[in-house]
Amino acid sequence: MVDGSALNKLLDAYQLDIRMLPGQVFDIVEKKLIKVLHDEIESAKAQTVRFVNLEAIPSGPHRDFSYAICGGLSQLIDSLVEKKIVVTGIISDPNGLPWNLISRIDKSFKGDMPPDGPAASL
């Protein structure tokens, strides 16, 4: 299971700083965070990976880096699907998360937003 709150705690170790260049942030997310997640999933020989509480990313302490984090998670999901690992999860509040990440996790997501929210895109 990949939990948004746990991801925020993992990200603390990487000391992301708002003064970093976007390329530096993407590099850290891809080469460290996503690699750690990928290695954990592979070592567990998981056949299904569930994503939960991803809403904690854009509302958490690393919200300034949501775009890089969500992009890295999208790449991770694509690599899992290529390996025939089932990806599941439910996004209870799509506001603040990019639609292309949501649609990879919640197959029932059609891009519809709740009546009180704008389109979810970063």
Side-chain angles (χ1 to χ4, degrees), residues 17-18 32 48-49 51 54 63 65 68 75 85 98-99 112:
D17 188 297
I18 192 70
K32 293 184 179 180
T48 300
V49 176
F51 287 80
L54 293 185
R63 67 183 145 272
F65 311 107
Q75 288 179 340
I85 297 173
W99 69 267
D112 297 332

Side-chain angles (χ1 to χ4, degrees), residues 36 38 94:
V36 165
H38 188 270

Side-chain angles (χ1 to χ4, degrees), residues 2 36-46 49 51 76 80 85:
V2 177
V36 165
L37 293 174
H38 188 270
D39 291 348
E40 285 181 15
I41 292 166
E42 284 217 340
S43 68
K45 298 187 186 328
V49 176
F51 287 80
L76 173 64
L80 296 174
I85 297 173

Side-chain angles (χ1 to χ4, degrees), residues 1-57:
M1 179 170 45
V2 177
D3 181 282
S5 294
L7 287 177
N8 279 330
K9 290 178 184 170
L10 272 174
L11 286 163
D12 286 340
Y14 304 133
Q15 300 175 346
L16 297 174
D17 188 297
I18 192 70
R19 293 169 289 190
M20 291 177 154
L21 296 172
Q24 291 173 302
V25 175
F26 276 96
D27 200 45
I28 289 170
V29 167
E30 183 180 345
K31 292 183 179 170
K32 293 184 179 180
L33 176 67
I34 301 306
K35 182 175 180 349
V36 165
L37 293 174
H38 188 270
D39 291 348
E40 285 181 15
I41 292 166
E42 284 217 340
S43 68
K45 298 187 186 328
Q47 294 180 1
T48 300
V49 176
R50 183 171 171 83
F51 287 80
V52 298
N53 193 28
L54 293 185
E55 298 86 351
I57 296 168

